[in-house]
């Protein structure tokens, strides 16, 4: 059974087909958040701290951390800012972290200070990125998100996206990186622009699970881009992708409707054993009342103990934004 282990200084989490869905909190990312970007540039991390604490309390399994505040010389500015942000976040919460950057120097700087076993977000099928990121993944013995696009961009053909994912898994193996440490993002397309985007990703997920035997992730809200009441679409999407084999997603855990969908899917998939997390979270639930759910245990402890980019892409987020059209 495929198991991807991530860890903080004090906690190990398993991402896997037989595990509760892994919720990767997306909020610590200045992409599209001008106020947060301005704060971080000024050395103000109050919003970062607030987002870290709130996402942990809402039930995130791990947190994505991005410091891509500017397209102006990110190779000079991003490594130091990412290190500072990572140190602040891991000083506040004990969740494993995802180091989100397209700047190779920033990823390596982050890997030097991150405690435990973080997830690197991300590598694409571009030769330049494979040659820059995979040696770091091997050196630091960490898992990596593999985004299914390459030099040709993001294909609308799901078979092409599968082929890119397969290429990355095979290239990772050449570096001695096992498939269980490659978490594939098949790139979810917006359903409002591509009517069969849902069916595409469900079929892709089954192939990734059955043929490549890899864990998977996505930018969850891509599916609802451009539509009204996006959280309703997102909440419907969650149990369907989980049923198709997706094992994690980068999403906002502070959205109760979406987290209820995660928790309910875990119950129905049998990964919330004896429904204990559901009961703990909702035992005092009253319809219409504001509730403060207990932190959800959306992944199980691991067995056996702890374990320079010239482009303007901001880690995994920008490829997913490109997928939105």
């Amino acid at each position: 059974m495929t198991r991807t282990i991530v860890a903080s200084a004090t906690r190990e989490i398993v991402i896997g087909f037989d595990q509760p869905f892994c919720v990767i909190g997306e909020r610590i990312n200045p992409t599209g958040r001008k106020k947060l970007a301005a704060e971080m540039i000024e050395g103000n991390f109050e919003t970062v701290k607030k987002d870290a604490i709130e996402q942990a309390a809402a039930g995130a399994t791990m947190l994505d951390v991005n410091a891509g505040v500017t397209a102006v010389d990110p190779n000079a500015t991003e490594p130091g800012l990412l290190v500072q942000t990572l140190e602040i976040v891991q000083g506040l919460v004990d969740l494993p972290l995802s180091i989100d950057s397209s700047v190779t120097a920033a990823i390596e700087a982050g890997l030097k200070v991150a405690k435990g076993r973080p997830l690197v977000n991300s590598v694409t099928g571009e030769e330049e990125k494979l040659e820059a990121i995979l040696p770091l993944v091997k050196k630091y013995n960490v898992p990596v998100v593999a985004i299914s696009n390459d030099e040709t961009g993001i294909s609308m053909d799901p078979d092409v996206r599968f082929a890119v994912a397969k290429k990355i898994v095979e290239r990772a193996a050449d570096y001695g990186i096992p498939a269980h440490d490659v978490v594939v993002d098949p790139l979810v397309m917006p359903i409002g622009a591509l009517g069969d985007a849902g069916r595409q990703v469900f079929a892709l997920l089954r192939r990734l699970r059955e043929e490549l035997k890899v864990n998977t992730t996505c930018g969850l809200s891509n599916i609802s881009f451009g539509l009204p009441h996006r959280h309703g679409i997102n909440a419907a999407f969650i149990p369907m992708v989980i049923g198709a084999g997706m094992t994690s997603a980068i999403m906002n855990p502070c959205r109760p409707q979406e987290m209820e969908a995660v928790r309910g899917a875990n119950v129905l998939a049998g990964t919330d054993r004896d429904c204990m997390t559901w009961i703990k979270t909702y035992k005092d639930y009253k319809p219409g009342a504001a509730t403060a759910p207990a932190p959800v245990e959306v992944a199980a402890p691991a067995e056996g103990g702890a374990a320079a980019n010239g482009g303007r892409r901001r880690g995994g987020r920008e490829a997913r934004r490109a997928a939105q059209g």
Side-chain angles (χ1 to χ4, degrees):
M1 185 64 72
T2 301
R3 293 188 162 200
T4 304
I5 296 175
V6 293
S8 66
T10 59
R11 180 187 298 192
E12 282 192 349
I13 296 296
V14 178
I15 303 172
F17 306 127
D18 62 342
Q19 302 297 307
F21 193 67
C22 177
V23 174
I24 306 173
E26 70 178 6
R27 295 289 294 163
I28 305 173
N29 191 323
T31 305
R33 299 179 69 189
K34 293 182 179 179
K35 182 176 180 289
L36 176 58
E39 288 179 358
M40 293 175 71
I41 290 171
E42 294 170 358
N44 177 356
F45 292 91
E46 291 309 307
T47 299
V48 167
K49 295 175 182 177
K50 177 175 176 288
D51 285 341
I53 293 168
E54 287 183 350
Q55 289 183 107
T61 317
M62 57 189 300
L63 299 182
D64 190 75
V65 178
N66 183 299
V69 297
T70 177
V72 180
D73 199 8
N75 291 293
T77 60
E78 195 166 323
L81 188 58
L82 181 59
V83 164
Q84 192 174 4
T85 308
L86 286 166
E87 290 179 331
I88 288 169
V89 172
Q90 64 189 4
L92 290 171
V93 300
D94 67 345
L95 300 180
L97 302 181
S98 167
I99 300 174
D100 186 357
S101 179
S102 62
V103 178
T104 303
I107 289 176
E108 182 158 28
L111 286 168
K112 289 178 179 178
V113 302
K115 299 176 181 178
R117 194 171 197 249
L119 176 67
V120 169
N121 184 12
S122 56
V123 67
T124 68
E126 300 161 275
E127 286 300 322
E128 179 184 359
K129 298 301 295 182
L130 291 167
E131 293 173 4
I133 302 302
L134 292 181
L136 291 179
V137 170
K138 176 61 177 178
K139 177 181 178 180
Y140 289 92
N141 185 29
V142 292
V144 62
V145 173
I147 298 184
S148 300
N149 70 285
D150 57 16
E151 290 88 352
T152 65
I154 299 171
S155 175
M156 295 298 105
D157 184 341
D159 290 336
V160 172
R161 299 207 299 280
F162 178 84
V164 174
K166 183 178 180 181
K167 169 187 172 181
I168 299 173
V169 171
E170 290 173 347
R171 290 293 297 278
D174 291 341
Y175 283 90
I177 301 164
H180 65 250
D181 275 340
V182 180
V183 180
V184 172
D185 182 343
L187 289 171
V188 172
M189 303 298 174
I191 193 74
L194 187 68
D196 65 345
R199 294 192 300 273
Q200 275 194 10
V201 74
F202 304 147
L204 257 175
L205 287 168
R206 294 184 185 101
R207 291 192 68 190
L208 290 166
R209 173 173 178 163
E210 294 166 9
E211 297 180 39
L212 297 186
K213 297 178 172 54
V214 292
N215 282 309
T216 45
T217 195
C218 72
L220 185 83
S221 63
N222 280 12
I223 192 68
S224 62
F225 181 78
L227 293 176
H229 188 40
R230 296 182 66 183
H231 305 303
I233 295 292
N234 296 345
F237 185 57
I238 287 166
M240 296 184 76
V241 290
I242 292 176
M246 186 166 279
T247 50
S248 69
I250 301 170
M251 57 182 285
N252 186 352
C254 299
R255 300 290 184 184
Q257 185 176 8
E258 294 169 30
M259 288 301 289
E260 286 175 6
V262 169
R263 295 175 178 124
N266 286 338
V267 169
L268 297 172
T271 56
D272 179 2
R273 294 168 182 84
D274 300 319
C275 308
M276 290 307 297
T277 295
W278 183 270
I279 293 168
K280 178 182 177 182
T281 305
Y282 298 111
K283 61 184 175 62
D284 297 320
Y285 174 78
K286 293 180 177 60
T291 60
V296 59
E297 297 173 5
V298 290
E303 298 176 358
N309 175 38
R312 297 286 78 85
R313 187 174 63 84
R314 281 290 165 262
R317 177 66 60 90
E318 187 66 19
R320 299 178 188 105
R321 283 183 176 273
Q324 295 172 346

